[in-house]
Amino acid sequence: MTPNAPLPDVQKTPDGRNIAIDKVGVRGVKFPIEVLDRENGRQRTIGNFTLTVDLPAEFKGTHMSRFLEALNAVGHEVSTASLPALVHDLTERLHAAKAHVDVTFPFFREKKAPVTGRAGMMEYECGFQCEGNGEFRTTLYTRVPVATLCPCSKEISAYGAHNQRGWITVRLEASEHVWLEEVVDWCEESGSCALFPVLKRPDEKWVTERAYENPRFVEDVIREVALRLDADKRVTAYEIEVENEESIHAHNAYAYLRRGKPPKG
Amino acid sequence: MTPNAPLPDVQKTPDGRNIAIDKVGVRGVKFPIEVLDRENGRQRTIGNFTLTVDLPAEFKGTHMSRFLEALNAVGHEVSTASLPALVHDLTERLHAAKAHVDVTFPFFREKKAPVTGRAGMMEYECGFQCEGNGEFRTTLYTRVPVATLCPCSKEISAYGAHNQRGWITVRLEASEHVWLEEVVDWCEESGSCALFPVLKRPDEKWVTERAYENPRFVEDVIREVALRLDADKRVTAYEIEVENEESIHAHNAYAYLRRGKPPKG
Amino acid sequence: MTPNAPLPDVQKTPDGRNIAIDKVGVRGVKFPIEVLDRENGRQRTIGNFTLTVDLPAEFKGTHMSRFLEALNAVGHEVSTASLPALVHDLTERLHAAKAHVDVTFPFFREKKAPVTGRAGMMEYECGFQCEGNGEFRTTLYTRVPVATLCPCSKEISAYGAHNQRGWITVRLEASEHVWLEEVVDWCEESGSCALFPVLKRPDEKWVTERAYENPRFVEDVIREVALRLDADKRVTAYEIEVENEESIHAHNAYAYLRRGKPPKG
Amino acid sequence: MTPNAPLPDVQKTPDGRNIAIDKVGVRGVKFPIEVLDRENGRQRTIGNFTLTVDLPAEFKGTHMSRFLEALNAVGHEVSTASLPALVHDLTERLHAAKAHVDVTFPFFREKKAPVTGRAGMMEYECGFQCEGNGEFRTTLYTRVPVATLCPCSKEISAYGAHNQRGWITVRLEASEHVWLEEVVDWCEESGSCALFPVLKRPDEKWVTERAYENPRFVEDVIREVALRLDADKRVTAYEIEVENEESIHAHNAYAYLRRGKPPKG
């Protein structure tokens, strides 16, 4: 190459294979962000991003560095309100018909023990997905641990009942703002008992007895979450997964339920 | 309970919430299996199973132990030919309208170095997914590592070009038998160079030069795989993902492409 | 380079930094193996190997391909009896003072339900570590899931008691042959109850009641394992970890105990 | 139990097995923290904690909730200066002879592209470990990705050279304050080239050529890091691991080196 000549742009050379690509971009991009927090206004956390656009058949490649520049430009605020702007910015920078942003992050709430009120921090994996161009579809994502106690084990045993940590994953679309905290609450109400960061003995007695009084299969848990989502007029589509880390088996119990348009891109 | 009275069946008690569940069952079940091997007839390996059925709205729960009994009964052979029988058996045992089996396993091939011919064992993550009742849809799954060398880096640099390990994931449906080995070959041909377990110096020279002569973006790799799948009359639908563990970034480059009916359950 | 001239050996060029390296080699090598099985003689499984040697200060590098050739040469049998030969072979091929082999693999046992006797396959992560030259130290590794029921929760609650899946990891050195199955048995006896692949209702009643009758903290579990290891004259050193996936918290309870020479390389 | 009677303390009942436990506590505790940042004073991030104490032979169990209370009490600041107070607090609350705190967290630095100066955020996994009572040993931990280009491949090939993402892990003890940023810098100088979040074409040319001019085996990388640690008078002991995600193999190249007292608890 001649010195000082502009470097060739290989990506924008034409491609003869005539194959359009649904999504191309970057994955596993870590970036400090701020998300909305119902109690405290905002919360600082760390996003793990996937950013993609479609690529028409005629171009050889996309320009990967522009995804990172878009992230820098839009700044650190991430919400269902702000994501369409980032998605739109990606379509502009990359001359794309459609873009997708998927971000997950640890989300913290202060949580008090049920009897003594001792407080601690409880972490939930949360996230948003947004895609489109002009019209945008946004999905909320939460993954919430709960305790589940087996109704069959309780019924057939002279005493005790096996219980375990279970994980509830919800992806939902809504017509109006839904707080992540609302979805977390719906999940925690749907297990046999919620989990807590700090439990003193009177609290441990309370959670043990509450789980025993409230036995739930994975089937019960998923239906309880579905009832709450069905009852909320804002929720227009959803997908729920429940997975129990069975304390009597090395494998897990699992349930899956979807309503409305599939919320996954 | 009266001694010797039969234990109550909580799962089959009626449920008043009127919510049918798409899938319920077990996940993370490890089981030794045998799969078909084009060179050696059969290969012993270890399956990681998800087994589910649908659950009508009127029943409280499914009977989880029957999934494991079905696995024991059908035995250790797993292939696109044998899976429908397992799926059908699940619908019978669990009185279900539809069942799903998803299994992944390590799959080995002996692979020779390109110049010296030194042999070693190369591992690929493979799998099958089968669902239905009476009519069955079966999906093949392969995850294949390749080397990818960046066309832009090669073009703009005075010498060298960044390259890295990339992962090609294919899920496909076919109208006739397709060997896992065929899909692995298509993937390995689509990168800048295949990977090898043993490479002596003349082999290392060969793979280094071959990758340099054959630069490929994730966009190129995914199109090369798509060309091979499109050219094969047996393949009726597919989904491809390519992810490059970029050697110049801490994040990955990613591409996704789907044709035909979504092959994921 | 002149055509047909031998390719230069960069690795064996001298190094001026005067820094010897404790271990250098390959990691994440997957290889089909056979291990000893007390009930069935042998069991085919899949090894995940780390193979290393020391590197004297005067050499620039080691020859990585020879690790793979050694694995191919020694063949597929892996046991505490056969590993010293592989370790010795590595020292020869790589002109090293000392070599290390670390292998982990899924290990299966048929396991019957406690009341109905229904059989299924139960998987344990096991492994061996061997290092030395002339004199060899070999370590057995097992990771065993058990159910643990909280003594405090049982004592303070009107009914029920929280319980969960716990993981017991043992690494031990012995003066004579110890079966992996023996270590797995010691671990399973040390929890509140063992796990099973298949449980019908009478079995589920049995395991629920047994765990309730047999409450164990992580502290109890680790001491029960230690008692069994201390009581066996063949065991000369050990390291135990117990981790409970608490069903009342999102975090885990953890205990660690070591006796004798540290068995980790 | 009599209503209103204090709940029994099972943990402090005597234990007859006569086995002291090296470490018992909690693991996987997520907690929002602030760490020191050389450029910006402080940085908010998310800690993943393991907190343990020793347990004398005579007691049945430790009091797990106190670990969480200690974390709440000491607050969100985590540094080599503040950790001894947390460790000491644990020994007080739990009547222990010795306590251990291990925390890892994502650590971000703004990083500019080498030619165009485009900035982005680069993430490193970092951490601290502190143990003792009265006298404390503190360890710094960093895990840094770099590009590594193979000297052998470059030497023997007509053009090109395979390269890949490598990971450098350092654990060190020091007699005086060492910034995490210093250790990150030492690691990034020791590979063939540092990684960057944003690279435009002139930058990509620069990093490609720089890596090619600067070939490094895992053996070279580990020695380069060791030279820098040896040259710094504050560093009193260290442990280094380097792992290359080889672009020509499905397995990794690995090196390990330790100097001075083992810095791992």
Side-chain angles (χ1 to χ4, degrees):
Chain A
M1 291 177 292
T2 330
N4 300 320
L7 295 170
D9 185 344
V10 180
Q11 282 84 348
K12 88 170 178 200
T13 57
D15 195 274
R17 283 166 292 200
N18 195 32
I19 295 176
I21 301 178
D22 298 355
K23 294 183 185 182
V24 57
V26 290
R27 208 170 185 181
V29 177
K30 310 289 175 53
F31 200 76
I33 58 173
E34 276 193 9
V35 297
L36 297 180
D37 178 319
R38 195 174 53 180
E39 277 81 34
N40 307 298
R42 275 152 194 287
Q43 175 175 148
R44 303 195 73 168
T45 182
I46 294 164
N48 185 341
F49 285 85
T50 300
L51 306 165
T52 61
V53 292
D54 66 301
L55 184 72
E58 57 267 31
F59 293 115
K60 182 171 174 66
T62 196
H63 293 85
M64 298 284 182
S65 63
R66 297 183 192 170
F67 292 100
L68 281 292
E69 293 179 309
L71 204 54
N72 283 337
V74 171
H76 297 261
E77 184 185 318
V78 166
S79 68
T80 53
S82 73
L83 278 175
L86 174 56
V87 172
H88 178 70
D89 190 42
L90 289 177
T91 59
E92 296 274 304
R93 285 174 190 265
L94 289 141
H95 311 294
K98 208 175 164 186
H100 313 248
V101 172
D102 189 326
V103 56
T104 60
F105 47 85
F107 185 72
F108 282 89
R109 298 176 79 181
E110 195 191 64
K111 197 163 179 188
K112 290 191 168 127
V115 178
T116 65
R118 300 291 173 89
M121 299 305 291
M122 181 88 185
E123 187 229 11
Y124 308 90
E125 189 182 71
C126 292
F128 303 113
Q129 202 173 58
C130 183
E131 63 175 52
N133 189 6
E135 290 203 18
F136 299 98
R137 288 181 64 193
T138 306
T139 307
L140 265 74
Y141 160 80
T142 57
R143 186 166 183 262
V144 176
V146 296
T148 60
L149 185 137
C150 179
C152 170
S153 170
K154 175 181 174 180
E155 179 69 24
I156 64 180
S157 304
Y159 32 77
H162 75 82
N163 52 78
Q164 52 267 319
R165 206 186 283 162
W167 293 92
I168 306 175
T169 304
V170 174
R171 288 180 185 83
L172 68 83
E173 285 185 82
S175 55
E176 285 174 61
H177 179 67
V178 173
W179 292 97
L180 292 172
E181 289 90 340
E182 293 178 277
V183 191
V184 169
D185 286 345
W186 293 330
C187 291
E188 293 195 334
E189 294 163 18
S190 298
S192 294
C193 189
L195 305 193
F196 294 89
V198 183
L199 292 171
K200 304 304 287 182
R201 279 201 298 278
D203 305 307
E204 187 170 356
K205 176 178 164 60
W206 188 93
V207 299
T208 303
E209 294 173 358
R210 179 167 175 81
Y212 193 79
E213 291 157 0
N214 202 23
R216 297 261 164 104
F217 289 128
V218 282
E219 293 94 327
D220 293 309
V221 176
I222 208 164
R223 281 168 166 155
E224 290 298 318
V225 179
L227 281 178
R228 283 158 179 78
L229 296 173
D230 287 343
D232 194 288
K233 296 288 174 259
R234 296 165 301 171
V235 176
T236 56
Y238 61 81
E239 189 176 57
I240 318 170
E241 287 180 286
V242 180
E243 188 159 354
N244 267 1
E245 300 172 347
E246 297 288 295
S247 65
I248 59 171
H249 297 300
H251 59 258
N252 295 347
Y254 175 74
Y256 172 87
L257 193 156
R258 190 171 87 185
R259 291 296 177 265
K261 273 203 298 184
K264 248 195 223 158
Chain B
M1 291 178 291
T2 329
N4 301 317
L7 295 171
D9 185 345
V10 180
Q11 281 83 349
K12 88 171 178 199
T13 56
D15 197 272
R17 283 165 293 200
N18 195 32
I19 295 176
I21 302 177
D22 297 356
K23 294 183 184 182
V24 57
V26 291
R27 208 171 186 182
V29 177
K30 310 290 174 54
F31 200 75
I33 57 172
E34 276 192 10
V35 297
L36 296 180
D37 177 319
R38 194 173 55 181
E39 276 81 35
N40 307 300
R42 273 151 195 288
Q43 174 174 149
R44 302 194 75 167
T45 183
I46 293 164
N48 186 341
F49 285 86
T50 300
L51 306 166
T52 60
V53 292
D54 65 302
L55 184 72
E58 57 268 33
F59 292 115
K60 181 170 174 66
T62 197
H63 293 85
M64 298 284 182
S65 63
R66 298 184 192 170
F67 291 101
L68 282 292
E69 294 180 306
L71 205 53
N72 283 336
V74 172
H76 297 261
E77 184 184 318
V78 166
S79 68
T80 53
S82 72
L83 278 175
L86 174 56
V87 172
H88 179 69
D89 189 43
L90 289 177
T91 58
E92 297 273 305
R93 284 174 191 265
L94 289 142
H95 311 294
K98 209 175 164 187
H100 313 248
V101 172
D102 189 326
V103 55
T104 60
F105 47 85
F107 184 72
F108 281 90
R109 298 177 77 181
E110 195 189 67
K111 197 163 179 188
K112 291 191 166 125
V115 177
T116 65
R118 300 292 173 92
M121 299 305 292
M122 182 87 184
E123 187 230 10
Y124 308 91
E125 188 181 69
C126 293
F128 303 113
Q129 202 173 59
C130 183
E131 64 175 50
N133 188 7
E135 290 204 18
F136 298 98
R137 289 180 65 193
T138 305
T139 307
L140 265 75
Y141 160 80
T142 56
R143 187 165 183 264
V144 175
V146 296
T148 60
L149 186 137
C150 179
C152 170
S153 170
K154 175 181 174 179
E155 179 69 24
I156 63 180
S157 304
Y159 33 77
H162 75 83
N163 52 78
Q164 52 268 316
R165 206 187 282 163
W167 293 92
I168 306 174
T169 304
V170 175
R171 289 180 186 83
L172 68 83
E173 284 185 83
S175 55
E176 286 173 61
H177 180 68
V178 173
W179 292 97
L180 292 172
E181 288 91 338
E182 293 179 277
V183 190
V184 168
D185 286 346
W186 293 331
C187 292
E188 294 196 334
E189 294 164 18
S190 298
S192 294
C193 189
L195 306 193
F196 295 89
V198 184
L199 293 171
K200 305 303 289 181
R201 279 202 298 279
D203 305 307
E204 186 171 357
K205 175 178 165 60
W206 188 92
V207 298
T208 303
E209 294 173 358
R210 179 165 176 81
Y212 192 81
E213 290 156 1
N214 201 24
R216 298 260 164 105
F217 289 128
V218 283
E219 294 94 327
D220 293 309
V221 176
I222 208 164
R223 280 166 167 158
E224 289 297 318
V225 178
L227 281 179
R228 283 158 180 79
L229 296 173
D230 287 342
D232 194 289
K233 297 289 174 257
R234 297 165 299 171
V235 177
T236 56
Y238 61 81
E239 190 175 56
I240 318 169
E241 288 179 284
V242 181
E243 187 157 355
N244 268 0
E245 300 171 347
E246 297 288 294
S247 65
I248 60 171
H249 297 301
H251 59 258
N252 295 347
Y254 175 74
Y256 172 87
L257 191 156
R258 190 170 86 185
R259 291 296 178 264
K261 274 204 296 186
K264 248 197 225 155
Chain C
M1 290 178 293
T2 329
N4 299 319
L7 295 170
D9 185 346
V10 180
Q11 281 84 348
K12 86 171 177 198
T13 56
D15 197 89
R17 284 165 292 200
N18 196 30
I19 295 176
I21 301 177
D22 298 356
K23 295 183 184 181
V24 57
V26 291
R27 207 170 187 184
V29 177
K30 311 288 175 56
F31 201 74
I33 57 172
E34 275 192 9
V35 297
L36 296 181
D37 178 319
R38 195 174 53 181
E39 277 82 33
N40 307 299
R42 276 153 191 287
Q43 175 175 149
R44 305 195 72 167
T45 183
I46 294 164
N48 186 342
F49 285 86
T50 300
L51 306 165
T52 61
V53 293
D54 66 302
L55 184 72
E58 56 267 33
F59 293 115
K60 182 171 173 67
T62 195
H63 293 86
M64 298 284 182
S65 63
R66 298 183 193 172
F67 291 101
L68 281 293
E69 293 179 307
L71 205 52
N72 283 337
V74 172
H76 297 261
E77 185 185 317
V78 166
S79 69
T80 53
S82 72
L83 278 175
L86 174 56
V87 172
H88 178 69
D89 189 42
L90 289 177
T91 58
E92 296 274 305
R93 285 175 190 264
L94 289 141
H95 311 294
K98 209 175 163 186
H100 313 249
V101 172
D102 189 326
V103 55
T104 60
F105 47 86
F107 185 72
F108 282 90
R109 296 177 80 182
E110 195 190 65
K111 197 162 180 190
K112 291 191 167 127
V115 177
T116 64
R118 300 291 173 92
M121 299 305 292
M122 181 86 185
E123 187 229 12
Y124 308 91
E125 189 181 67
C126 292
F128 303 113
Q129 203 173 58
C130 183
E131 63 176 50
N133 189 7
E135 290 204 18
F136 299 98
R137 289 181 66 194
T138 306
T139 307
L140 265 75
Y141 160 80
T142 57
R143 187 167 183 262
V144 175
V146 295
T148 59
L149 185 138
C150 178
C152 170
S153 170
K154 175 180 174 179
E155 179 68 24
I156 63 180
S157 303
Y159 33 75
H162 75 82
N163 51 79
Q164 51 267 318
R165 206 186 283 163
W167 293 92
I168 306 174
T169 304
V170 174
R171 288 180 186 83
L172 68 83
E173 284 185 82
S175 56
E176 286 173 60
H177 180 67
V178 173
W179 292 97
L180 292 171
E181 288 90 340
E182 293 179 276
V183 191
V184 168
D185 286 344
W186 293 330
C187 291
E188 294 196 334
E189 294 163 18
S190 297
S192 294
C193 189
L195 306 192
F196 295 88
V198 183
L199 292 172
K200 304 304 287 183
R201 278 201 297 278
D203 305 307
E204 187 171 355
K205 176 178 165 59
W206 187 92
V207 299
T208 303
E209 294 173 359
R210 180 169 174 79
Y212 192 78
E213 291 156 0
N214 201 25
R216 298 260 164 105
F217 288 128
V218 284
E219 294 93 328
D220 293 308
V221 176
I222 208 163
R223 282 169 167 156
E224 290 298 318
V225 179
L227 281 178
R228 282 158 179 79
L229 296 173
D230 288 342
D232 194 288
K233 296 289 173 257
R234 296 166 299 171
V235 177
T236 55
Y238 61 81
E239 189 175 57
I240 317 171
E241 288 179 286
V242 180
E243 188 159 353
N244 267 1
E245 300 172 346
E246 297 289 292
S247 64
I248 58 171
H249 296 301
H251 60 258
N252 295 347
Y254 175 75
Y256 172 87
L257 191 155
R258 191 171 85 184
R259 292 295 177 266
K261 274 203 298 186
K264 246 196 224 157
Chain D
M1 289 179 292
T2 329
N4 299 320
L7 295 170
D9 186 345
V10 180
Q11 281 84 349
K12 88 171 176 198
T13 57
D15 197 273
R17 283 166 293 199
N18 196 31
I19 296 176
I21 301 178
D22 298 356
K23 295 182 183 181
V24 56
V26 291
R27 208 172 186 181
V29 177
K30 311 289 174 56
F31 200 75
I33 57 172
E34 276 193 10
V35 298
L36 296 180
D37 178 319
R38 195 174 53 181
E39 277 81 35
N40 307 299
R42 276 153 192 286
Q43 174 174 151
R44 303 195 74 167
T45 182
I46 293 164
N48 185 342
F49 284 86
T50 300
L51 306 165
T52 61
V53 292
D54 65 302
L55 184 72
E58 57 268 31
F59 293 116
K60 181 170 174 67
T62 196
H63 293 85
M64 298 284 182
S65 62
R66 298 184 192 170
F67 291 101
L68 281 293
E69 293 179 308
L71 205 52
N72 282 337
V74 172
H76 297 262
E77 185 185 318
V78 166
S79 68
T80 53
S82 73
L83 277 176
L86 174 56
V87 172
H88 178 69
D89 189 41
L90 289 177
T91 58
E92 296 273 305
R93 285 174 190 265
L94 289 141
H95 312 293
K98 208 175 164 186
H100 313 249
V101 172
D102 188 326
V103 55
T104 60
F105 47 85
F107 184 73
F108 282 89
R109 299 177 77 181
E110 195 190 66
K111 197 162 178 188
K112 291 192 167 125
V115 178
T116 65
R118 299 293 173 91
M121 298 305 291
M122 181 87 184
E123 187 230 10
Y124 307 92
E125 189 182 68
C126 292
F128 302 113
Q129 203 173 57
C130 182
E131 64 175 49
N133 189 7
E135 289 204 18
F136 299 98
R137 290 180 64 192
T138 305
T139 308
L140 266 75
Y141 160 80
T142 57
R143 187 166 183 263
V144 176
V146 296
T148 59
L149 185 138
C150 179
C152 170
S153 170
K154 175 180 173 179
E155 179 68 25
I156 64 181
S157 304
Y159 33 75
H162 75 83
N163 51 79
Q164 52 268 317
R165 206 186 282 163
W167 293 92
I168 306 174
T169 305
V170 174
R171 289 180 186 82
L172 68 82
E173 284 185 82
S175 57
E176 286 174 61
H177 180 67
V178 173
W179 292 97
L180 292 171
E181 288 91 340
E182 293 178 277
V183 191
V184 169
D185 286 346
W186 293 330
C187 292
E188 294 196 332
E189 293 162 20
S190 298
S192 294
C193 189
L195 306 193
F196 295 88
V198 183
L199 292 172
K200 304 303 289 182
R201 278 201 299 278
D203 305 307
E204 187 170 356
K205 175 179 165 59
W206 188 92
V207 298
T208 303
E209 294 172 357
R210 179 167 175 80
Y212 192 79
E213 292 156 359
N214 202 23
R216 297 261 165 105
F217 289 128
V218 284
E219 294 94 328
D220 292 309
V221 176
I222 209 165
R223 281 167 167 156
E224 289 298 318
V225 179
L227 281 178
R228 282 158 180 79
L229 296 172
D230 288 341
D232 194 288
K233 297 288 175 256
R234 298 165 298 171
V235 177
T236 56
Y238 61 80
E239 189 175 57
I240 318 170
E241 288 180 285
V242 180
E243 187 158 355
N244 267 0
E245 300 172 346
E246 296 289 293
S247 64
I248 59 171
H249 297 300
H251 60 258
N252 294 348
Y254 175 74
Y256 172 87
L257 191 156
R258 191 171 85 184
R259 291 294 177 266
K261 275 204 296 186
K264 249 196 222 156

